[in-house]
Amino acid sequence: MDNFVVSARKYRPVTFKQVVGQNAITTTLLNAIKSNHLAQAFLFTGPRGVGKTTCARIMAKTINCENLTETYEPCDKCESCTSFNNNASFNIHELDAASNNSVDDIRNLVDQVRIPPQIGKYKVYIIDEVHMLSQAAFNAFLKTLEEPPAYAKFILATTEKHKILPTILSRCQIFDFRRINVEDIAQHLSYVANNENIEAEIEALNIIAQKSDGALRDALSTFDQIVSYSGDHLTYKNVIENLNILDYEYFFSVTDAIIKSNIPDLLLTFDEIIENGFDGQNFIIGLGNHLRNLLVLKNETTIKLLLASDKQKENYLNQANNCNSALLINALDICNKTDLSYKASNNKRLHIEIALMQLAKLSNTAGGFDDKVNISQKSKDQSLERKVEYKTPQPVNKKEKEVSKKPEIKEEIKTPPPAKESSEVKVDDTNKESETGQVQTDITGDDKIEESEKKNKPKDDSGRKIRRISITESLKALKDEKNKSEEGDEPVIKNEFTQEKLEEVWKEFVVGYQSKSPSFASAIAKYTPKLTDDFVIEYMVDNHIMAKDLLHQTSLLEFIKRELKNNQIKLKAIVPEVDEVKKAYFDNEKFDELAKDYPGIVKLKDQLGLDFGA
Ligand SMILES: [Zn+2]
């Protein structure tokens, strides 16, 4: 009965050419051999299973061969080569530092170094896992490494270069072995399968390659394992069952659900995946991979980036035809962000579910729930542009209003001041009032006070009588009176007006307001207001701070309402989703920029009556 030889050993490369996926290193080594510029000591670093020891052995065999071929490959015939092939060469010494890391082990090795080779030119010492050597062992070794005999070559191999002392590193030529890419591994597996008369599906080999994380040795062991389980026919199904890998069919159906915006389907499929014991993060990474595969099919030049059998490619192509690249790119972005934030999430399941819902929202069809239109429409609006809606302040209850006035009245009674001084006091009072949140009284602006003065005669009210001491107060009272009547049953005035008329009135306001607050005037003059349905006027602002400012500036709304004879008008500030990075060139632009961070300077500028130089 034949002894079973594991593939990793049976197909271990014997020449530099056969080494998989380390072209740069094998070429360099081969060139050094050709030009006879071989260093005395090498450090091979890199992950496990990528060919470090293999390369060390090939090098030992090659430099000892008595008649190298033209391509500098060992002849496999000479005495040295045959002894290498039979594992009987005295010119190669391997020490596994993981288990032989004491000073004595190293002393033994150093003793051997003193004896020159009997056959061949070089003695090669391979010390595997060299970072495991004890400090004392390192020190014992250092001297030999510094001044080795000409026939001695040292190859140190390690997976953890950072653990090697700098004194050692500086004496070695360092080679960084890369992880082997999936394609190379899959190709090598296919070569092995061919040689072993095993029929293997490309997807099956691809999955094994992906799972091996760049280590060819691991890939070959997995390959052996699955072959022993499923015989000489290696299928995708065998592999995913054996390795407990999520079937890509899941990704096809999840993507289908994303395209159809079918959230219930997505949640149920994900539930099934979790039930089968799969990890949420692996799922989202796999989904990202799947979406990427679809995306590369969107362009002829990138199709080659998809590693799959023709049959599989057809499936991908069918799905790729059902979705546009914008959707795929956005979906990839969501998958990537979800993966990145997965560890930090406390409710990992919900974390993935939210991502799935966001993915479903990418295509604009219904969400699979009953309230279809509402859900998608609303979220679409919110995501497309952040709108700040302006609402006219709700009328305050009469009761509340009276309560808030009481303290004011008391104050008046206590100090009935002489007429001249009173005006000053009153000014303070008005300020106080506006600070307590009664913005409403200020809405109308000064011109309105005159208007109301002409129109209305004050009604009897005990509180009011005292307040009539000063002119300002009485004016205020009138104003309150008027507001009150407006609040009660304000008649709806809805005169139609055109966009042109709106722009005209808007401009009028800007001009009139220039003297009061140039910065505010320029802010609203920057863009053209737009009349939309139901007398909603949309206007653009540069940022949210500006939007907020404008909401507090009710004089604009009042002016427009009055001029257009329509009290149903509403203002809506629109902040562009993407704040363009705009460079400030002019002084006023720089000032605006500054004002965003320090709103106080606008006031300062206005109060001091400053303006920009020419
Ligand atoms: Zn030879």
Side-chain angles (χ1 to χ4, degrees):
M1 200 178 126
D2 274 356
N3 276 333
F4 174 72
V5 182
V6 295
S7 298
R9 248 182 85 190
K10 190 170 175 186
Y11 292 94
R12 177 167 240 168
V14 289
T15 66
F16 282 125
K17 249 192 185 165
Q18 290 170 8
V19 175
V20 178
Q22 304 293 356
N23 265 341
I25 288 171
T26 51
T27 311
T28 311
L29 287 175
L30 208 56
N31 284 337
I33 292 170
K34 275 182 199 169
S35 59
N36 213 3
H37 275 109
L38 223 50
Q40 290 254 261
F42 300 85
L43 181 70
F44 288 179
T45 84
R48 62 201 185 84
V50 296
K52 297 186 297 293
T53 318
T54 301
C55 278
R57 285 188 189 151
I58 294 172
M59 191 168 92
K61 185 176 167 187
T62 309
I63 57 179
N64 274 312
C65 177
E66 284 151 30
N67 30 44
L68 283 174
T69 65
E70 275 177 22
T71 52
Y72 286 85
E73 275 170 21
C75 69
D76 262 338
K77 282 170 199 153
C78 69
E79 200 181 348
S80 167
C81 282
T82 42
S83 62
F84 262 106
N85 290 349
N86 298 328
N87 285 328
S89 175
F90 290 108
N91 288 346
I92 186 160
H93 299 268
E94 287 189 45
L95 180 84
D96 182 12
S99 45
N100 309 291
N101 55 6
S102 68
V103 187
D104 285 343
D105 292 319
I106 286 295
R107 284 203 181 121
N108 275 338
L109 184 118
V110 169
D111 285 343
Q112 283 175 20
V113 173
R114 290 202 189 107
I115 308 163
Q118 304 301 305
I119 309 161
K121 285 186 276 183
Y122 299 102
K123 274 190 153 186
V124 178
Y125 297 86
I126 300 171
I127 305 178
D128 234 339
E129 305 297 331
V130 68
H131 62 273
M132 302 282 273
L133 285 182
S134 65
Q135 186 71 39
F138 259 126
N139 291 336
F141 182 53
L142 204 57
K143 197 162 182 305
T144 315
L145 198 63
E146 253 170 6
E147 294 164 349
Y151 53 80
K153 301 278 179 205
F154 292 96
I155 299 173
L156 315 180
T158 180
T159 48
E160 292 167 69
K161 185 169 125 191
H162 59 276
K163 286 189 181 167
I164 311 285
L165 294 175
T167 43
I168 303 264
L169 286 179
S170 66
R171 284 169 179 82
C172 296
Q173 210 171 63
I174 299 168
F175 289 86
D176 279 305
F177 284 66
R178 295 180 311 159
R179 277 175 212 285
I180 305 165
N181 66 40
V182 173
E183 198 173 358
D184 284 344
I185 292 179
Q187 243 165 37
H188 188 69
L189 289 178
S190 149
Y191 162 80
V192 172
N194 253 337
N195 269 18
E196 296 289 311
N197 287 322
I198 291 166
E199 218 180 295
E201 291 178 3
I202 292 186
E203 283 86 46
L205 300 180
N206 270 339
I207 289 288
I208 296 173
Q210 276 165 26
K211 263 279 158 175
S212 67
D213 195 24
L216 187 59
R217 189 172 57 211
D218 290 6
L220 285 165
S221 326
T222 311
F223 176 82
D224 287 347
Q225 179 198 326
I226 297 166
V227 166
S228 68
Y229 162 86
S230 59
D232 51 8
H233 191 70
L234 203 63
T235 65
Y236 173 80
K237 284 266 177 263
N238 287 338
V239 175
I240 60 163
E241 256 171 55
N242 217 281
L243 298 182
N244 198 26
I245 287 171
L246 195 52
D247 193 337
Y248 55 60
E249 288 302 332
Y250 276 117
F251 296 126
F252 276 104
S253 58
V254 164
T255 309
D256 268 339
I258 290 171
I259 295 167
K260 289 175 190 149
S261 282
N262 193 333
I263 294 178
D265 247 21
L266 282 174
L267 296 181
L268 291 173
T269 312
F270 180 57
D271 180 65
E272 197 182 314
I273 291 167
I274 293 283
E275 284 295 305
N276 287 338
F278 289 104
D279 171 57
Q281 190 167 23
N282 281 338
F283 163 71
I284 208 80
I285 292 171
L287 181 60
N289 240 330
H290 180 84
L291 295 169
R292 174 261 183 205
N293 286 344
L294 294 176
L295 191 65
V296 298
L297 287 178
K298 286 284 179 188
N299 188 301
E300 258 178 57
T301 56
T302 50
I303 288 180
K304 64 174 179 200
L305 297 176
L306 174 66
L307 297 173
S309 68
D310 289 344
K311 185 188 117 210
Q312 189 62 19
K313 263 186 186 159
E314 210 180 299
N315 291 338
Y316 276 113
L317 212 66
N318 283 337
Q319 192 161 61
N321 283 334
N322 286 329
C323 45
N324 60 41
S325 0
L327 176 112
L328 290 173
I329 291 168
N330 288 332
L332 276 168
D333 189 42
I334 293 175
C335 287
N336 187 42
K337 281 178 181 151
T338 309
D339 172 31
L340 289 177
S341 52
Y342 186 82
K343 280 233 162 69
S345 152
N346 284 324
N347 188 343
K348 302 209 180 315
R349 183 184 176 133
L350 183 66
H351 189 66
I352 301 289
E353 286 177 341
I354 290 170
L356 288 172
M357 290 181 233
Q358 286 171 337
L359 287 166
K361 287 286 164 224
L362 290 176
S363 50
N364 283 327
T365 35
F369 291 110
D370 291 335
D371 49 344
K372 296 173 184 182
V373 186
N374 286 344
I375 288 181
S376 55
Q377 198 53 45
K378 222 180 182 177
S379 71
K380 193 181 143 201
D381 284 346
Q382 278 164 1
S383 62
L384 286 179
E385 47 187 24
R386 276 176 271 163
K387 289 182 185 172
V388 183
E389 189 154 354
Y390 175 83
K391 273 188 192 153
T392 353
Q394 289 297 307
V396 187
N397 276 339
K398 275 183 191 177
K399 266 186 191 168
E400 272 177 44
K401 216 170 189 178
E402 271 161 27
V403 168
S404 67
K405 259 174 202 160
K406 265 173 194 162
E408 191 192 318
I409 296 164
K410 268 183 200 163
E411 213 177 56
E412 296 286 333
I413 297 169
K414 260 190 238 161
T415 51
K420 221 205 161 197
E421 272 175 313
S422 73
S423 64
E424 270 176 56
V425 178
K426 291 295 133 31
V427 171
D428 279 347
D429 258 345
T430 15
N431 282 348
K432 227 185 259 167
E433 202 180 328
S434 66
E435 267 165 30
T436 51
Q438 287 210 1
V439 200
Q440 272 193 321
T441 45
D442 290 332
I443 290 176
T444 39
D446 299 24
D447 36 357
K448 224 167 185 189
I449 300 176
E450 285 169 20
E451 219 180 273
S452 52
E453 193 189 25
K454 286 175 205 161
K455 229 194 262 173
N456 281 9
K457 287 254 164 193
K459 281 175 189 170
D460 292 332
D461 183 330
S462 58
R464 290 263 157 72
K465 266 174 189 159
I466 303 163
R467 296 163 103 223
R468 268 178 224 138
I469 295 168
S470 78
I471 303 164
T472 19
E473 258 322 301
S474 64
L475 287 178
K476 252 172 115 29
L478 285 170
K479 231 162 73 183
D480 284 348
E481 205 64 46
K482 201 191 168 218
N483 281 344
K484 230 185 230 173
S485 64
E486 272 173 13
E487 282 154 15
D489 289 300
E490 189 188 1
V492 176
I493 308 165
K494 270 186 173 179
N495 274 333
E496 294 283 340
F497 58 93
T498 61
Q499 168 76 23
E500 287 73 44
K501 184 72 188 156
L502 166 67
E503 285 178 34
E504 201 184 307
V505 171
W506 191 278
K507 215 173 259 172
E508 214 179 307
F509 179 85
V510 170
V511 173
Y513 217 76
Q514 204 78 49
S515 55
K516 277 186 196 159
S517 168
S519 57
F520 179 72
S522 75
I524 57 167
K526 199 167 173 185
Y527 301 104
T528 315
K530 215 179 112 207
L531 176 62
T532 62
D533 293 343
D534 294 329
F535 307 117
V536 175
I537 297 170
E538 290 182 348
Y539 63 96
M540 190 91 93
V541 290
D542 285 330
N543 53 51
H544 288 279
I545 301 162
M546 206 76 95
K548 235 182 198 168
D549 278 358
L550 289 174
L551 292 191
H552 291 299
Q553 276 284 8
T554 45
S555 45
L556 170 64
L557 178 64
E558 290 303 319
F559 182 82
I560 292 171
K561 278 185 178 176
R562 198 168 62 231
E563 291 301 312
L564 294 172
K565 297 191 179 58
N566 184 325
N567 61 8
Q568 299 303 302
I569 294 173
K570 285 196 173 74
L571 285 181
K572 204 180 220 178
I574 293 177
V575 184
E577 170 80 39
V578 188
D579 280 336
E580 290 177 50
V581 184
K582 208 180 125 196
K583 246 200 135 137
Y585 287 109
F586 303 109
D587 285 343
N588 58 338
E589 285 176 358
K590 284 179 188 160
F591 179 81
D592 289 344
E593 200 86 336
L594 206 60
K596 278 178 211 163
D597 295 324
Y598 308 99
I601 65 165
V602 180
K603 215 180 212 171
L604 185 70
K605 173 178 164 288
D606 291 345
Q607 276 174 3
L608 295 177
L610 300 174
D611 212 336
F612 303 104

